[in-house]
Amino acid sequence: MTSAYPPLNLAVRTPRITLAAATDEMLERLAPVVRAGVLVEGEPLPFDDPMSLYQDSPAREWNWMRRIWSGRSRIDDGYWRLYFVVCDDGEPVGMQDLIADDFTALGTVHSFSWLAPSVRGRGLGREARAAILHLAFAGFGAREAGSEAFADNHASNRVSEALGYVRNGTNWATRRGEPAELIRWRLTRDAWSARRRTDITLSGVEECRPVLGV
């Protein structure tokens, strides 16, 4: 069913995955993945603070939903965060977000994502990032995309490098209260255009642009 709220009608499709707008229905379908946990014991912690995915269930899924509901309500031409559920063969397996601050003036975006442990290592993270970049650049006319990942989050850093981002310095953040170094990445529109894919399709973009002030 089509929503009266345009951001909930957005979708990005590639030959491998679909990024479906995170409607309440999609969040309910993804909730069991969140309940099961997205962290793997022994692996470096991937998220900076504060992060509901570090909490114990059921507070984990409650606060995960609350943050998304709160983020959806904040969308305007000064700041927006678009939430998408990553669907692999129709099954929700993670999330991919697109974030912008003063996009009308700056034209810059950032991304955030996570995948269920059971589907990692299959290239879905790279596919989801390529999809969200297509929405940013082809759909909304972004000038530049940025990304950050902890230095020991090798999977995320490899995705950035593979998609044409270049290193853009470092930063620091805490994860569960402990400081850790972040690697910053930058992708210009020209660099994205040089690798632009022709097999990614968008829907719901034109109706959504006025909501975002684009």
PDB file of all heavy atoms in Angstrom, residues 46-82:
ATOM      1  N   PRO A  46      31.598  -2.699  15.948  1.00  0.00           N
ATOM      2  CA  PRO A  46      31.556  -1.862  14.752  1.00  0.00           C
ATOM      3  C   PRO A  46      30.909  -0.494  14.939  1.00  0.00           C
ATOM      4  O   PRO A  46      31.048   0.363  14.057  1.00  0.00           O
ATOM      5  CB  PRO A  46      30.711  -2.705  13.785  1.00  0.00           C
ATOM      6  CG  PRO A  46      29.780  -3.462  14.683  1.00  0.00           C
ATOM      7  CD  PRO A  46      30.533  -3.723  15.942  1.00  0.00           C
ATOM      8  N   PHE A  47      30.167  -0.272  16.035  1.00  0.00           N
ATOM      9  CA  PHE A  47      29.337   0.932  16.143  1.00  0.00           C
ATOM     10  C   PHE A  47      29.875   1.883  17.202  1.00  0.00           C
ATOM     11  O   PHE A  47      30.382   1.455  18.241  1.00  0.00           O
ATOM     12  CB  PHE A  47      27.896   0.559  16.500  1.00  0.00           C
ATOM     13  CG  PHE A  47      27.301  -0.507  15.636  1.00  0.00           C
ATOM     14  CD1 PHE A  47      26.829  -1.689  16.193  1.00  0.00           C
ATOM     15  CD2 PHE A  47      27.206  -0.342  14.262  1.00  0.00           C
ATOM     16  CE1 PHE A  47      26.263  -2.686  15.400  1.00  0.00           C
ATOM     17  CE2 PHE A  47      26.661  -1.328  13.462  1.00  0.00           C
ATOM     18  CZ  PHE A  47      26.191  -2.505  14.030  1.00  0.00           C
ATOM     19  N   ASP A  48      29.717   3.198  16.935  1.00  0.00           N
ATOM     20  CA  ASP A  48      30.068   4.177  17.955  1.00  0.00           C
ATOM     21  C   ASP A  48      28.879   4.414  18.875  1.00  0.00           C
ATOM     22  O   ASP A  48      27.748   4.044  18.580  1.00  0.00           O
ATOM     23  CB  ASP A  48      30.560   5.484  17.324  1.00  0.00           C
ATOM     24  CG  ASP A  48      29.563   6.102  16.359  1.00  0.00           C
ATOM     25  OD1 ASP A  48      28.580   5.430  15.991  1.00  0.00           O
ATOM     26  OD2 ASP A  48      29.760   7.264  15.969  1.00  0.00           O
ATOM     27  N   ASP A  49      29.160   5.037  20.018  1.00  0.00           N
ATOM     28  CA  ASP A  49      28.115   5.314  21.006  1.00  0.00           C
ATOM     29  C   ASP A  49      27.307   6.548  20.608  1.00  0.00           C
ATOM     30  O   ASP A  49      27.847   7.465  19.968  1.00  0.00           O
ATOM     31  CB  ASP A  49      28.747   5.555  22.375  1.00  0.00           C
ATOM     32  CG  ASP A  49      29.514   4.344  22.897  1.00  0.00           C
ATOM     33  OD1 ASP A  49      29.084   3.209  22.626  1.00  0.00           O
ATOM     34  OD2 ASP A  49      30.543   4.552  23.561  1.00  0.00           O
ATOM     35  N   PRO A  50      26.042   6.641  21.007  1.00  0.00           N
ATOM     36  CA  PRO A  50      25.223   5.592  21.624  1.00  0.00           C
ATOM     37  C   PRO A  50      24.634   4.674  20.558  1.00  0.00           C
ATOM     38  O   PRO A  50      24.370   5.122  19.439  1.00  0.00           O
ATOM     39  CB  PRO A  50      24.123   6.393  22.310  1.00  0.00           C
ATOM     40  CG  PRO A  50      23.939   7.600  21.434  1.00  0.00           C
ATOM     41  CD  PRO A  50      25.303   7.927  20.899  1.00  0.00           C
ATOM     42  N   MET A  51      24.461   3.418  20.875  1.00  0.00           N
ATOM     43  CA  MET A  51      23.977   2.451  19.896  1.00  0.00           C
ATOM     44  C   MET A  51      23.101   1.417  20.583  1.00  0.00           C
ATOM     45  O   MET A  51      23.568   0.658  21.436  1.00  0.00           O
ATOM     46  CB  MET A  51      25.165   1.772  19.199  1.00  0.00           C
ATOM     47  CG  MET A  51      24.798   0.599  18.311  1.00  0.00           C
ATOM     48  SD  MET A  51      23.448   0.881  17.141  1.00  0.00           S
ATOM     49  CE  MET A  51      24.165   2.094  16.067  1.00  0.00           C
ATOM     50  N   SER A  52      21.818   1.402  20.202  1.00  0.00           N
ATOM     51  CA  SER A  52      20.873   0.478  20.829  1.00  0.00           C
ATOM     52  C   SER A  52      21.231  -0.978  20.541  1.00  0.00           C
ATOM     53  O   SER A  52      20.872  -1.867  21.325  1.00  0.00           O
ATOM     54  CB  SER A  52      19.453   0.774  20.336  1.00  0.00           C
ATOM     55  OG  SER A  52      19.370   0.671  18.924  1.00  0.00           O
ATOM     56  N   LEU A  53      21.939  -1.262  19.449  1.00  0.00           N
ATOM     57  CA  LEU A  53      22.267  -2.642  19.117  1.00  0.00           C
ATOM     58  C   LEU A  53      23.256  -3.259  20.101  1.00  0.00           C
ATOM     59  O   LEU A  53      23.456  -4.474  20.081  1.00  0.00           O
ATOM     60  CB  LEU A  53      22.821  -2.720  17.685  1.00  0.00           C
ATOM     61  CG  LEU A  53      21.844  -2.330  16.574  1.00  0.00           C
ATOM     62  CD1 LEU A  53      22.510  -2.392  15.212  1.00  0.00           C
ATOM     63  CD2 LEU A  53      20.594  -3.200  16.592  1.00  0.00           C
ATOM     64  N   TYR A  54      23.871  -2.446  20.962  1.00  0.00           N
ATOM     65  CA  TYR A  54      24.730  -2.985  22.014  1.00  0.00           C
ATOM     66  C   TYR A  54      23.929  -3.435  23.239  1.00  0.00           C
ATOM     67  O   TYR A  54      24.468  -4.100  24.111  1.00  0.00           O
ATOM     68  CB  TYR A  54      25.737  -1.913  22.471  1.00  0.00           C
ATOM     69  CG  TYR A  54      26.886  -1.672  21.521  1.00  0.00           C
ATOM     70  CD1 TYR A  54      27.418  -0.397  21.374  1.00  0.00           C
ATOM     71  CD2 TYR A  54      27.453  -2.708  20.798  1.00  0.00           C
ATOM     72  CE1 TYR A  54      28.482  -0.161  20.521  1.00  0.00           C
ATOM     73  CE2 TYR A  54      28.510  -2.485  19.942  1.00  0.00           C
ATOM     74  CZ  TYR A  54      29.034  -1.200  19.808  1.00  0.00           C
ATOM     75  OH  TYR A  54      30.082  -0.972  18.964  1.00  0.00           O
ATOM     76  N   GLN A  55      22.667  -3.067  23.318  1.00  0.00           N
ATOM     77  CA  GLN A  55      21.879  -3.370  24.504  1.00  0.00           C
ATOM     78  C   GLN A  55      21.380  -4.819  24.494  1.00  0.00           C
ATOM     79  O   GLN A  55      21.393  -5.490  23.455  1.00  0.00           O
ATOM     80  CB  GLN A  55      20.688  -2.414  24.602  1.00  0.00           C
ATOM     81  CG  GLN A  55      21.095  -0.956  24.756  1.00  0.00           C
ATOM     82  CD  GLN A  55      19.894  -0.035  24.785  1.00  0.00           C
ATOM     83  OE1 GLN A  55      19.132   0.035  23.826  1.00  0.00           O
ATOM     84  NE2 GLN A  55      19.714   0.665  25.887  1.00  0.00           N
ATOM     85  N   ASP A  56      20.951  -5.277  25.657  1.00  0.00           N
ATOM     86  CA  ASP A  56      20.381  -6.619  25.753  1.00  0.00           C
ATOM     87  C   ASP A  56      18.931  -6.607  25.266  1.00  0.00           C
ATOM     88  O   ASP A  56      18.230  -5.600  25.367  1.00  0.00           O
ATOM     89  CB  ASP A  56      20.420  -7.102  27.201  1.00  0.00           C
ATOM     90  CG  ASP A  56      21.847  -7.306  27.695  1.00  0.00           C
ATOM     91  OD1 ASP A  56      22.722  -7.617  26.864  1.00  0.00           O
ATOM     92  OD2 ASP A  56      22.076  -7.142  28.909  1.00  0.00           O
ATOM     93  N   SER A  57      18.483  -7.737  24.732  1.00  0.00           N
ATOM     94  CA  SER A  57      17.081  -7.898  24.346  1.00  0.00           C
ATOM     95  C   SER A  57      16.248  -8.022  25.630  1.00  0.00           C
ATOM     96  O   SER A  57      16.710  -8.622  26.610  1.00  0.00           O
ATOM     97  CB  SER A  57      16.925  -9.156  23.496  1.00  0.00           C
ATOM     98  OG  SER A  57      15.612  -9.345  23.093  1.00  0.00           O
ATOM     99  N   PRO A  58      15.039  -7.443  25.692  1.00  0.00           N
ATOM    100  CA  PRO A  58      14.266  -6.815  24.623  1.00  0.00           C
ATOM    101  C   PRO A  58      14.480  -5.306  24.477  1.00  0.00           C
ATOM    102  O   PRO A  58      13.932  -4.724  23.558  1.00  0.00           O
ATOM    103  CB  PRO A  58      12.825  -7.100  25.031  1.00  0.00           C
ATOM    104  CG  PRO A  58      12.875  -7.037  26.530  1.00  0.00           C
ATOM    105  CD  PRO A  58      14.192  -7.624  26.906  1.00  0.00           C
ATOM    106  N   ALA A  59      15.286  -4.684  25.384  1.00  0.00           N
ATOM    107  CA  ALA A  59      15.517  -3.246  25.258  1.00  0.00           C
ATOM    108  C   ALA A  59      16.177  -2.931  23.917  1.00  0.00           C
ATOM    109  O   ALA A  59      15.960  -1.859  23.345  1.00  0.00           O
ATOM    110  CB  ALA A  59      16.393  -2.743  26.405  1.00  0.00           C
ATOM    111  N   ARG A  60      16.967  -3.876  23.413  1.00  0.00           N
ATOM    112  CA  ARG A  60      17.654  -3.663  22.139  1.00  0.00           C
ATOM    113  C   ARG A  60      16.661  -3.371  21.029  1.00  0.00           C
ATOM    114  O   ARG A  60      16.753  -2.352  20.325  1.00  0.00           O
ATOM    115  CB  ARG A  60      18.488  -4.894  21.782  1.00  0.00           C
ATOM    116  CG  ARG A  60      19.150  -4.792  20.411  1.00  0.00           C
ATOM    117  CD  ARG A  60      20.188  -5.877  20.211  1.00  0.00           C
ATOM    118  NE  ARG A  60      19.648  -7.215  20.352  1.00  0.00           N
ATOM    119  CZ  ARG A  60      20.049  -8.105  21.255  1.00  0.00           C
ATOM    120  NH1 ARG A  60      20.976  -7.793  22.134  1.00  0.00           N
ATOM    121  NH2 ARG A  60      19.521  -9.317  21.297  1.00  0.00           N
ATOM    122  N   GLU A  61      15.679  -4.227  20.825  1.00  0.00           N
ATOM    123  CA  GLU A  61      14.738  -4.018  19.723  1.00  0.00           C
ATOM    124  C   GLU A  61      13.773  -2.863  20.008  1.00  0.00           C
ATOM    125  O   GLU A  61      13.384  -2.127  19.092  1.00  0.00           O
ATOM    126  CB  GLU A  61      13.987  -5.295  19.356  1.00  0.00           C
ATOM    127  CG  GLU A  61      13.322  -6.022  20.490  1.00  0.00           C
ATOM    128  CD  GLU A  61      14.203  -7.106  21.107  1.00  0.00           C
ATOM    129  OE1 GLU A  61      15.430  -6.931  21.158  1.00  0.00           O
ATOM    130  OE2 GLU A  61      13.632  -8.124  21.557  1.00  0.00           O
ATOM    131  N   TRP A  62      13.423  -2.665  21.280  1.00  0.00           N
ATOM    132  CA  TRP A  62      12.545  -1.528  21.608  1.00  0.00           C
ATOM    133  C   TRP A  62      13.218  -0.211  21.237  1.00  0.00           C
ATOM    134  O   TRP A  62      12.619   0.644  20.574  1.00  0.00           O
ATOM    135  CB  TRP A  62      12.231  -1.516  23.103  1.00  0.00           C
ATOM    136  CG  TRP A  62      11.423  -2.674  23.594  1.00  0.00           C
ATOM    137  CD1 TRP A  62      10.712  -3.573  22.844  1.00  0.00           C
ATOM    138  CD2 TRP A  62      11.258  -3.061  24.951  1.00  0.00           C
ATOM    139  NE1 TRP A  62      10.099  -4.498  23.656  1.00  0.00           N
ATOM    140  CE2 TRP A  62      10.421  -4.204  24.948  1.00  0.00           C
ATOM    141  CE3 TRP A  62      11.725  -2.575  26.161  1.00  0.00           C
ATOM    142  CZ2 TRP A  62      10.054  -4.853  26.129  1.00  0.00           C
ATOM    143  CZ3 TRP A  62      11.351  -3.205  27.340  1.00  0.00           C
ATOM    144  CH2 TRP A  62      10.527  -4.343  27.317  1.00  0.00           C
ATOM    145  N   ASN A  63      14.448  -0.038  21.685  1.00  0.00           N
ATOM    146  CA  ASN A  63      15.137   1.237  21.446  1.00  0.00           C
ATOM    147  C   ASN A  63      15.576   1.397  20.001  1.00  0.00           C
ATOM    148  O   ASN A  63      15.653   2.522  19.491  1.00  0.00           O
ATOM    149  CB  ASN A  63      16.318   1.381  22.404  1.00  0.00           C
ATOM    150  CG  ASN A  63      15.857   1.623  23.816  1.00  0.00           C
ATOM    151  OD1 ASN A  63      14.839   2.268  24.049  1.00  0.00           O
ATOM    152  ND2 ASN A  63      16.583   1.090  24.793  1.00  0.00           N
ATOM    153  N   TRP A  64      15.854   0.289  19.342  1.00  0.00           N
ATOM    154  CA  TRP A  64      16.134   0.340  17.902  1.00  0.00           C
ATOM    155  C   TRP A  64      14.933   0.915  17.159  1.00  0.00           C
ATOM    156  O   TRP A  64      15.072   1.815  16.328  1.00  0.00           O
ATOM    157  CB  TRP A  64      16.481  -1.073  17.427  1.00  0.00           C
ATOM    158  CG  TRP A  64      16.464  -1.285  15.953  1.00  0.00           C
ATOM    159  CD1 TRP A  64      17.377  -0.825  15.047  1.00  0.00           C
ATOM    160  CD2 TRP A  64      15.493  -2.034  15.205  1.00  0.00           C
ATOM    161  NE1 TRP A  64      17.034  -1.236  13.776  1.00  0.00           N
ATOM    162  CE2 TRP A  64      15.884  -1.980  13.862  1.00  0.00           C
ATOM    163  CE3 TRP A  64      14.342  -2.744  15.557  1.00  0.00           C
ATOM    164  CZ2 TRP A  64      15.148  -2.607  12.846  1.00  0.00           C
ATOM    165  CZ3 TRP A  64      13.616  -3.371  14.564  1.00  0.00           C
ATOM    166  CH2 TRP A  64      14.018  -3.305  13.231  1.00  0.00           C
ATOM    167  N   MET A  65      13.741   0.427  17.463  1.00  0.00           N
ATOM    168  CA  MET A  65      12.540   0.959  16.816  1.00  0.00           C
ATOM    169  C   MET A  65      12.300   2.418  17.198  1.00  0.00           C
ATOM    170  O   MET A  65      11.962   3.247  16.340  1.00  0.00           O
ATOM    171  CB  MET A  65      11.324   0.116  17.188  1.00  0.00           C
ATOM    172  CG  MET A  65      11.224  -1.199  16.442  1.00  0.00           C
ATOM    173  SD  MET A  65       9.669  -2.050  16.812  1.00  0.00           S
ATOM    174  CE  MET A  65       9.553  -3.167  15.419  1.00  0.00           C
ATOM    175  N   ARG A  66      12.478   2.745  18.478  1.00  0.00           N
ATOM    176  CA  ARG A  66      12.244   4.119  18.917  1.00  0.00           C
ATOM    177  C   ARG A  66      13.150   5.100  18.169  1.00  0.00           C
ATOM    178  O   ARG A  66      12.709   6.194  17.784  1.00  0.00           O
ATOM    179  CB  ARG A  66      12.492   4.236  20.428  1.00  0.00           C
ATOM    180  CG  ARG A  66      11.401   3.628  21.287  1.00  0.00           C
ATOM    181  CD  ARG A  66      11.856   3.560  22.722  1.00  0.00           C
ATOM    182  NE  ARG A  66      10.832   2.979  23.580  1.00  0.00           N
ATOM    183  CZ  ARG A  66      11.086   2.357  24.720  1.00  0.00           C
ATOM    184  NH1 ARG A  66      12.343   2.219  25.141  1.00  0.00           N
ATOM    185  NH2 ARG A  66      10.098   1.871  25.452  1.00  0.00           N
ATOM    186  N   ARG A  67      14.401   4.742  17.991  1.00  0.00           N
ATOM    187  CA  ARG A  67      15.332   5.633  17.292  1.00  0.00           C
ATOM    188  C   ARG A  67      14.903   5.851  15.840  1.00  0.00           C
ATOM    189  O   ARG A  67      15.015   6.955  15.305  1.00  0.00           O
ATOM    190  CB  ARG A  67      16.751   5.075  17.354  1.00  0.00           C
ATOM    191  CG  ARG A  67      17.390   5.197  18.719  1.00  0.00           C
ATOM    192  CD  ARG A  67      18.807   4.637  18.714  1.00  0.00           C
ATOM    193  NE  ARG A  67      19.405   4.725  20.026  1.00  0.00           N
ATOM    194  CZ  ARG A  67      20.038   5.793  20.501  1.00  0.00           C
ATOM    195  NH1 ARG A  67      20.149   6.876  19.739  1.00  0.00           N
ATOM    196  NH2 ARG A  67      20.567   5.796  21.709  1.00  0.00           N
ATOM    197  N   ILE A  68      14.440   4.812  15.203  1.00  0.00           N
ATOM    198  CA  ILE A  68      13.996   4.948  13.818  1.00  0.00           C
ATOM    199  C   ILE A  68      12.737   5.801  13.746  1.00  0.00           C
ATOM    200  O   ILE A  68      12.630   6.702  12.898  1.00  0.00           O
ATOM    201  CB  ILE A  68      13.784   3.563  13.178  1.00  0.00           C
ATOM    202  CG1 ILE A  68      15.126   2.833  13.071  1.00  0.00           C
ATOM    203  CG2 ILE A  68      13.136   3.702  11.795  1.00  0.00           C
ATOM    204  CD1 ILE A  68      15.019   1.402  12.644  1.00  0.00           C
ATOM    205  N   TRP A  69      11.796   5.560  14.624  1.00  0.00           N
ATOM    206  CA  TRP A  69      10.586   6.393  14.637  1.00  0.00           C
ATOM    207  C   TRP A  69      10.941   7.856  14.880  1.00  0.00           C
ATOM    208  O   TRP A  69      10.407   8.751  14.226  1.00  0.00           O
ATOM    209  CB  TRP A  69       9.627   5.906  15.721  1.00  0.00           C
ATOM    210  CG  TRP A  69       8.992   4.587  15.437  1.00  0.00           C
ATOM    211  CD1 TRP A  69       8.718   4.046  14.212  1.00  0.00           C
ATOM    212  CD2 TRP A  69       8.543   3.626  16.401  1.00  0.00           C
ATOM    213  NE1 TRP A  69       8.134   2.828  14.345  1.00  0.00           N
ATOM    214  CE2 TRP A  69       8.004   2.535  15.672  1.00  0.00           C
ATOM    215  CE3 TRP A  69       8.531   3.584  17.782  1.00  0.00           C
ATOM    216  CZ2 TRP A  69       7.479   1.414  16.305  1.00  0.00           C
ATOM    217  CZ3 TRP A  69       8.007   2.472  18.427  1.00  0.00           C
ATOM    218  CH2 TRP A  69       7.482   1.398  17.688  1.00  0.00           C
ATOM    219  N   SER A  70      11.848   8.105  15.815  1.00  0.00           N
ATOM    220  CA  SER A  70      12.263   9.473  16.111  1.00  0.00           C
ATOM    221  C   SER A  70      12.959  10.096  14.903  1.00  0.00           C
ATOM    222  O   SER A  70      12.704  11.252  14.544  1.00  0.00           O
ATOM    223  CB  SER A  70      13.198   9.483  17.323  1.00  0.00           C
ATOM    224  OG  SER A  70      13.702  10.784  17.560  1.00  0.00           O
ATOM    225  N   GLY A  71      13.821   9.330  14.253  1.00  0.00           N
ATOM    226  CA  GLY A  71      14.533   9.841  13.084  1.00  0.00           C
ATOM    227  C   GLY A  71      13.612  10.156  11.929  1.00  0.00           C
ATOM    228  O   GLY A  71      13.789  11.163  11.233  1.00  0.00           O
ATOM    229  N   ARG A  72      12.616   9.316  11.721  1.00  0.00           N
ATOM    230  CA  ARG A  72      11.662   9.571  10.638  1.00  0.00           C
ATOM    231  C   ARG A  72      10.910  10.872  10.872  1.00  0.00           C
ATOM    232  O   ARG A  72      10.594  11.603   9.923  1.00  0.00           O
ATOM    233  CB  ARG A  72      10.667   8.418  10.521  1.00  0.00           C
ATOM    234  CG  ARG A  72      11.283   7.144   9.992  1.00  0.00           C
ATOM    235  CD  ARG A  72      10.267   6.080   9.606  1.00  0.00           C
ATOM    236  NE  ARG A  72       9.139   5.921  10.503  1.00  0.00           N
ATOM    237  CZ  ARG A  72       8.436   4.801  10.599  1.00  0.00           C
ATOM    238  NH1 ARG A  72       8.758   3.747   9.861  1.00  0.00           N
ATOM    239  NH2 ARG A  72       7.411   4.718  11.415  1.00  0.00           N
ATOM    240  N   SER A  73      10.610  11.193  12.125  1.00  0.00           N
ATOM    241  CA  SER A  73       9.814  12.392  12.423  1.00  0.00           C
ATOM    242  C   SER A  73      10.611  13.677  12.266  1.00  0.00           C
ATOM    243  O   SER A  73      10.024  14.765  12.193  1.00  0.00           O
ATOM    244  CB  SER A  73       9.263  12.305  13.847  1.00  0.00           C
ATOM    245  OG  SER A  73      10.283  12.481  14.815  1.00  0.00           O
ATOM    246  N   ARG A  74      11.947  13.578  12.191  1.00  0.00           N
ATOM    247  CA  ARG A  74      12.787  14.769  12.135  1.00  0.00           C
ATOM    248  C   ARG A  74      13.064  15.248  10.710  1.00  0.00           C
ATOM    249  O   ARG A  74      13.727  16.260  10.519  1.00  0.00           O
ATOM    250  CB  ARG A  74      14.135  14.503  12.813  1.00  0.00           C
ATOM    251  CG  ARG A  74      14.079  14.341  14.310  1.00  0.00           C
ATOM    252  CD  ARG A  74      15.480  14.201  14.863  1.00  0.00           C
ATOM    253  NE  ARG A  74      16.318  15.362  14.507  1.00  0.00           N
ATOM    254  CZ  ARG A  74      17.645  15.353  14.603  1.00  0.00           C
ATOM    255  NH1 ARG A  74      18.281  14.255  14.982  1.00  0.00           N
ATOM    256  NH2 ARG A  74      18.339  16.428  14.285  1.00  0.00           N
ATOM    257  N   ILE A  75      12.613  14.553   9.710  1.00  0.00           N
ATOM    258  CA  ILE A  75      12.975  14.868   8.334  1.00  0.00           C
ATOM    259  C   ILE A  75      12.460  16.243   7.924  1.00  0.00           C
ATOM    260  O   ILE A  75      11.266  16.525   8.013  1.00  0.00           O
ATOM    261  CB  ILE A  75      12.442  13.791   7.376  1.00  0.00           C
ATOM    262  CG1 ILE A  75      13.223  12.483   7.568  1.00  0.00           C
ATOM    263  CG2 ILE A  75      12.534  14.242   5.917  1.00  0.00           C
ATOM    264  CD1 ILE A  75      12.745  11.342   6.722  1.00  0.00           C
ATOM    265  N   ASP A  76      13.393  17.119   7.476  1.00  0.00           N
ATOM    266  CA  ASP A  76      13.031  18.401   6.881  1.00  0.00           C
ATOM    267  C   ASP A  76      14.206  18.834   6.018  1.00  0.00           C
ATOM    268  O   ASP A  76      15.155  18.066   5.813  1.00  0.00           O
ATOM    269  CB  ASP A  76      12.673  19.440   7.938  1.00  0.00           C
ATOM    270  CG  ASP A  76      13.783  19.696   8.949  1.00  0.00           C
ATOM    271  OD1 ASP A  76      14.975  19.640   8.568  1.00  0.00           O
ATOM    272  OD2 ASP A  76      13.481  19.946  10.124  1.00  0.00           O
ATOM    273  N   ASP A  77      14.160  20.074   5.502  1.00  0.00           N
ATOM    274  CA  ASP A  77      15.220  20.481   4.580  1.00  0.00           C
ATOM    275  C   ASP A  77      16.536  20.823   5.279  1.00  0.00           C
ATOM    276  O   ASP A  77      17.538  21.088   4.619  1.00  0.00           O
ATOM    277  CB  ASP A  77      14.764  21.656   3.708  1.00  0.00           C
ATOM    278  CG  ASP A  77      14.326  22.855   4.526  1.00  0.00           C
ATOM    279  OD1 ASP A  77      14.452  22.823   5.755  1.00  0.00           O
ATOM    280  OD2 ASP A  77      13.852  23.831   3.918  1.00  0.00           O
ATOM    281  N   GLY A  78      16.554  20.818   6.628  1.00  0.00           N
ATOM    282  CA  GLY A  78      17.792  21.062   7.350  1.00  0.00           C
ATOM    283  C   GLY A  78      18.545  19.799   7.719  1.00  0.00           C
ATOM    284  O   GLY A  78      19.776  19.789   7.787  1.00  0.00           O
ATOM    285  N   TYR A  79      17.800  18.724   7.964  1.00  0.00           N
ATOM    286  CA  TYR A  79      18.417  17.453   8.335  1.00  0.00           C
ATOM    287  C   TYR A  79      17.469  16.326   7.974  1.00  0.00           C
ATOM    288  O   TYR A  79      16.259  16.451   8.159  1.00  0.00           O
ATOM    289  CB  TYR A  79      18.707  17.397   9.846  1.00  0.00           C
ATOM    290  CG  TYR A  79      19.151  16.023  10.306  1.00  0.00           C
ATOM    291  CD1 TYR A  79      20.484  15.667  10.261  1.00  0.00           C
ATOM    292  CD2 TYR A  79      18.223  15.077  10.766  1.00  0.00           C
ATOM    293  CE1 TYR A  79      20.896  14.401  10.679  1.00  0.00           C
ATOM    294  CE2 TYR A  79      18.626  13.809  11.173  1.00  0.00           C
ATOM    295  CZ  TYR A  79      19.967  13.481  11.122  1.00  0.00           C
ATOM    296  OH  TYR A  79      20.371  12.230  11.516  1.00  0.00           O
ATOM    297  N   TRP A  80      18.022  15.253   7.428  1.00  0.00           N
ATOM    298  CA  TRP A  80      17.198  14.069   7.221  1.00  0.00           C
ATOM    299  C   TRP A  80      18.031  12.799   7.293  1.00  0.00           C
ATOM    300  O   TRP A  80      19.230  12.803   7.030  1.00  0.00           O
ATOM    301  CB  TRP A  80      16.407  14.116   5.918  1.00  0.00           C
ATOM    302  CG  TRP A  80      17.096  14.602   4.674  1.00  0.00           C
ATOM    303  CD1 TRP A  80      17.051  15.862   4.153  1.00  0.00           C
ATOM    304  CD2 TRP A  80      17.886  13.832   3.760  1.00  0.00           C
ATOM    305  NE1 TRP A  80      17.768  15.930   2.975  1.00  0.00           N
ATOM    306  CE2 TRP A  80      18.282  14.696   2.708  1.00  0.00           C
ATOM    307  CE3 TRP A  80      18.285  12.495   3.715  1.00  0.00           C
ATOM    308  CZ2 TRP A  80      19.076  14.277   1.632  1.00  0.00           C
ATOM    309  CZ3 TRP A  80      19.074  12.066   2.648  1.00  0.00           C
ATOM    310  CH2 TRP A  80      19.455  12.967   1.632  1.00  0.00           C
ATOM    311  N   ARG A  81      17.339  11.751   7.698  1.00  0.00           N
ATOM    312  CA  ARG A  81      17.926  10.416   7.712  1.00  0.00           C
ATOM    313  C   ARG A  81      16.879   9.465   7.155  1.00  0.00           C
ATOM    314  O   ARG A  81      15.782   9.352   7.718  1.00  0.00           O
ATOM    315  CB  ARG A  81      18.330  10.008   9.129  1.00  0.00           C
ATOM    316  CG  ARG A  81      18.988   8.624   9.200  1.00  0.00           C
ATOM    317  CD  ARG A  81      19.630   8.400  10.545  1.00  0.00           C
ATOM    318  NE  ARG A  81      20.382   7.139  10.595  1.00  0.00           N
ATOM    319  CZ  ARG A  81      21.386   6.880  11.413  1.00  0.00           C
ATOM    320  NH1 ARG A  81      21.764   7.810  12.286  1.00  0.00           N
ATOM    321  NH2 ARG A  81      22.018   5.712  11.385  1.00  0.00           N
ATOM    322  N   LEU A  82      17.214   8.824   6.064  1.00  0.00           N
ATOM    323  CA  LEU A  82      16.317   7.885   5.403  1.00  0.00           C
ATOM    324  C   LEU A  82      16.739   6.466   5.768  1.00  0.00           C
ATOM    325  O   LEU A  82      17.906   6.097   5.604  1.00  0.00           O
ATOM    326  CB  LEU A  82      16.356   8.073   3.888  1.00  0.00           C
ATOM    327  CG  LEU A  82      15.993   9.479   3.391  1.00  0.00           C
ATOM    328  CD1 LEU A  82      16.198   9.571   1.878  1.00  0.00           C
ATOM    329  CD2 LEU A  82      14.572   9.849   3.767  1.00  0.00           C
TER     330      LEU A  82
END
